[in-house]
Amino acid sequence: MRKILEVARHEFIVSLKRPSFIIATLALPLLGIVGLIVSAYFGGQAGEFLEQQFVGTPKAVGYVDQVGLFTPPLPEYADLFIPYPNEEAGREALFAEEIEALLLIPGDYLDTGRVIGYSKGRGLPTAISVSEERIRPFLVDHLLAGQVDEGLRARVRAPMNLLPVSLAPQGEGSEDIASFVANIAIPYAFSILLVMAIFTSSGFLLQGVSEEKESRVIEILLSSLTPIELLAGKILGLGALGLAQILFWLGCGWALIGIAVTGLALFGAITLDVATIVLALVYFLLGYLLFATLMASAGSLGTSAREGQQIAGIFSGLTAIPFMVSSFIWTNPNSLLVQILSYVPLTSPVMMLQRLGMTEVPLYQIALSLILLILGIGGALWAGAKVFRMGLLMYGKRPSVAEIWRALRQA
Amino acid sequence: MIAVETSNLTKRFDGLVAVDHLDMEVQQGEIFGLLGPNGAGKTTTIRLLLDIIKPDEGVIRLLGHSPGPEAQERVGYLPEERGLYRNLKLMDCLTYLAVLKGMDRKLVRKRAEMLLERLGLGGEGGSKVKALSRGMQQKAQLVATLVHDPEVVILDEPFQGLDPISTEQVKELIRDLRERGKTVVLSTHMMNQVERMCDRILLIDEGRRVLYGPLEEIKARYAEHAVLVRCSGALEGLIGARRIEQRERERLIILEDDALPQDILRQLVEREIAVERFEVATPPLEEIFIQVVEEKDA
C-alpha cells in the first residue's frame, strides 16, 4: 500500500504541474466569469447586441392588401410594414432592396388564409427571408383591432407561456424554474465533467504510461513494485487529481451561481436534490475508474505515446455515444435504447448522469446499472492488469491479438 | 553466504527457450560476471531474478527470499534499456525511485549528492534530466541504481555508451562496492571488458550454462601450455619450445609437454635478451567461449 500511495503522490504532483492541466483547470472558471460579467454589465442588451451582429437590423416588409383589412397599418407597425397599391409597385420596391420581402394578401384571404410571400433571389420558394413569427402578430393585430380589448388581443398573439412541472410519486415537484433547471443541469454537467475528466486525467495516465515505456523507466519501476501496484497508484493519483479539478470547478461554479443569485438576482434560490448529486458523484467515480483502467492498459500496449493514444481512442470514442443519442434522452429518457445504454458499463456512467436529472429513474435500474458497472470495473482491472503487465515490457513491437488473448488466459 | 541462487530456472517465450534449466550461485561480496553473447538469455535471467517476469520452472532465492517485495528493496538494478523521467529534475527523479525502493525520503538527498559527486555530476541534482548529456544520463542512472544502498547490485551492460574516462569511473565504483561487502552481478556481452574484474563467472549461450566457476580456475583449465613474451631478440632454437606465434606485439611460445615456463625464462636470461614482458599465457575469455561453443556444436 505504501508504494501505491507513493506512485499516487508522484503522479498527482507531476500532473498538477503540467501547463496543459493548469490551463484546462483555469479556463473553465474564467469563461464563467466572463459570462457573468457580460450578463451583469450588459444585461438584456448583450443578447440584442449579439443578435444584431449575427442577424443584422431587419428591413421593412412590403405588402399588397387586396382584402382591405390591413391598410392603413396600425401605428406600431408603420415602420416595419409598408403598404403598396399593387403587386408591380411592391416588386419594384423588392428589387430596389427597399423592402426585405413582399406579402400579397389576396381578396379571398379571410376564407383561405392564403398569403403569398415574395423574396429576392433563387432560393427555394419556401425560403422566404421573413419569419412567420414576424408576420403573424401583424396579421392578428390588424384582424382584431377594434374587435376585442387590448388584453385579449395580446393573449391571442401569444396564447401560451408553458411552465413544465414534474410530479414525483411522493407529491408535487418543485415549481421553481431555477431549481428545475439546476436539477437537470447539474447531473448533465457531471456527465460533461466526467467526459472531460476522462480526457484529462485518463489522458495523463495514458501519456504517463506511454512515456515510461518509451523512456524505459518502466523496467526500473517494475524492479521496485508490481504492475498492479503501479497501475493502482497511477489510477489513484490521477483520479484524485481529476476529482480535485472537478471540485475546483464546482467550487467556482457554486461561487459564480452565488454571485448571480445574491448579487445580481439572475436566478431565484436554488434547491438541489441531494440524492441526485450523491448518485452523480458515485457514477463519476466509478466511470473514471473503469475508463482509467482501460486507458492505462491501452497505453501499455502502444510502442509510443502516439500509438498508445490511437489504441485508447477506441475507449474515449465510446464516451461520446450518450451524447450522440442525446435527442433520444431529451424526448424520452426511458426509451429502450436509453435504458440499454444505461446498463452497458462503458456508456452507463454518462448515460445515467444525463437521465438522473431528466426523469425519475426507477431504483432497480439504478441498482442494476451500478452492479453491472462494478462488475465491469472488476473485469477491466483483471484483464487490464494482465495486459498491462505484458504490454509494459514489449518494446518496439505492439502485441498481437493472439498475444493479448494468451496473456488474458494465463493465471 | 549465498546472495543469489537459481535452480533449474527455465523461461520460454512462444516455444523459444530463453533460459534453459539454469543453476547458479552468487556469493555475497563478490563480483559475479553473467556473460554471454547478445541474445544468450542474460537479460531474461535478470528479469526473472527481479520478479519482473515469472519463470516457467525452477526456483530462485534472492538474499534468502523468494523474488518479491522484500528482496526487491535490497537490490539495485541498472537495466540495459536505460531511461529516467526526462521532464523531472534529476534529484526529484532519484528521490522517487529511491522511495519506491523503501528508502526514507529525508535520507535520499545526502546520499544522492555524494554519489553524483563521485561520478562527476556534482551540482546537477537541480537540472532537468533532459538537459543532461547522454553520458551524464547514463551515470545518473547508475546513481539511481545505488542511491538506496542495496546489498545486491545487478548491472546489465553498465559500460555501454560510456567514454573511457567514465568507464574507468564506473569500474572503480564497482570495485568499491565489492570492498564494502556488496554483491555485484555484472552482465555483459563484452567479455574482455570485465574479465579482469570478476571473481567468478557464468557464461551462458542459448539460455544454457556453458562455463561456470572462479575465473582463475576457468582460465587455468583452458590455458594453453605456453608463455607470452615481449622482447627484441631472436627466439629460434629455444629448448622446450614446440613453436612460436606472433601475437600483435608479443610472441606466444607453445611449450613441449615436459617443458616448464621457467626453462624458457632461464634461456632468455642466458642469451641476454632484454625482456619487457614474460607471463604464462592464458586465453581471453572470449576465445575460451568460442572454443567451448565449437566443442559443444562439434
Side-chain angles (χ1 to χ4, degrees), chain A residues 2-3 6-7 9-11 14 17 211-212 215-217 219-226 230 234 389 393 395 403 406, chain B residues 14 43 47 50-54 69 72-73 77 79 81-85 87-88 92 96-97 99-102 105 141:
Chain A
R2 183 183 58 79
K3 288 181 180 176
E6 193 53 48
V7 174
R9 180 182 185 275
H10 171 80
E11 294 293 335
V14 167
K17 291 179 184 169
E211 278 172 5
E212 280 169 354
S215 69
R216 311 295 196 245
V217 179
E219 187 125 352
I220 304 178
L221 294 176
L222 293 183
S223 73
S224 307
L225 72 175
T226 64
L230 183 62
K234 281 177 177 296
R389 186 176 191 121
L393 290 171
Y395 304 132
E403 282 169 323
R406 205 176 304 127
Chain B
D14 296 332
T43 300
R47 285 178 174 174
L50 290 165
D51 201 32
I52 295 174
I53 52 174
K54 303 282 180 193
Q72 272 180 338
E73 291 193 354
Y77 173 41
E81 300 275 5
R82 309 226 212 300
L84 294 168
Y85 290 100
N87 292 314
L88 285 192
D92 291 342
Y96 176 52
L97 295 175
V99 170
L100 284 182
K101 284 286 188 186
R105 188 180 298 278
Q141 185 109 38

Side-chain angles (χ1 to χ4, degrees), chain B residues 250-261:
Chain B
E250 282 86 21
R251 276 172 283 185
L252 184 74
I253 304 171
I254 316 292
L255 305 182
E256 297 285 359
D257 291 344
D258 56 349
L260 295 170

Side-chain angles (χ1 to χ4, degrees), chain B residues 7 29 34 66 71 141 153 156 196 209 226 232 256 258 266:
Chain B
S7 168
L34 179 59
S66 298
Q141 185 109 38
V153 181
D156 199 355
R196 287 174 193 277
R209 192 167 98 174
S232 50
E256 297 285 359
D258 56 349
R266 197 182 322 111

Side-chain angles (χ1 to χ4, degrees), chain B residues 141-190:
Chain B
Q141 185 109 38
L142 189 62
V143 175
T145 307
L146 301 175
V147 71
H148 63 292
D149 200 19
E151 290 167 58
V152 175
V153 181
I154 299 178
L155 307 172
D156 199 355
E157 304 287 359
F159 309 112
Q160 200 166 270
L162 290 181
D163 60 49
I165 295 170
S166 300
T167 302
E168 227 22 72
Q169 280 177 327
V170 172
K171 280 185 177 177
E172 202 184 308
L173 192 64
I174 293 170
R175 288 191 198 102
D176 187 47
L177 286 170
R178 174 172 55 188
E179 278 171 28
R180 289 177 51 223
K182 308 290 182 184
T183 307
V184 181
V185 176
L186 202 57
S187 168
T188 181
H189 70 285
M190 296 156 83

Side-chain angles (χ1 to χ4, degrees), chain A residues 107-255:
Chain A
D108 61 353
Y109 165 74
L110 280 179
D111 298 325
T112 62
R114 191 165 57 97
V115 174
I116 301 163
Y118 295 99
S119 299
K120 200 180 157 192
R122 297 184 176 193
L124 289 169
T126 50
I128 183 163
S129 54
V130 181
S131 69
E132 208 177 315
E133 282 74 25
R134 210 171 133 196
I135 299 167
R136 186 184 290 116
F138 169 75
L139 297 175
V140 169
D141 277 339
H142 283 81
L143 287 171
L144 298 181
Q147 311 282 332
V148 296
D149 65 64
E150 183 56 33
L152 184 58
R153 207 171 78 178
R155 190 51 52 242
V156 173
R157 210 188 300 137
M160 184 173 72
N161 183 14
L162 182 67
L163 177 65
V165 175
S166 298
L167 287 177
Q170 292 82 3
E172 194 175 344
S174 170
E175 287 183 38
D176 169 18
I177 188 70
S179 300
F180 173 75
V181 171
N183 280 313
I184 288 184
I186 287 178
Y188 196 83
F190 261 100
S191 73
I192 293 170
L193 291 180
L194 171 63
V195 173
M196 287 175 78
I198 286 168
F199 281 105
T200 52
S201 303
S202 304
F204 286 147
L205 209 158
L206 173 75
Q207 196 181 342
V209 171
S210 301
E211 278 172 5
E212 280 169 354
K213 202 179 155 186
E214 210 171 347
S215 69
R216 311 295 196 245
V217 179
I218 201 77
E219 187 125 352
I220 304 178
L221 294 176
L222 293 183
S223 73
S224 307
L225 72 175
T226 64
I228 307 301
E229 285 173 324
L230 183 62
L231 183 63
K234 281 177 177 296
I235 290 173
L236 194 66
L238 291 170
L241 185 76
L243 202 61
Q245 186 184 43
I246 280 168
L247 289 175
F248 175 73
W249 283 339
L250 289 178
C252 290
W254 204 260

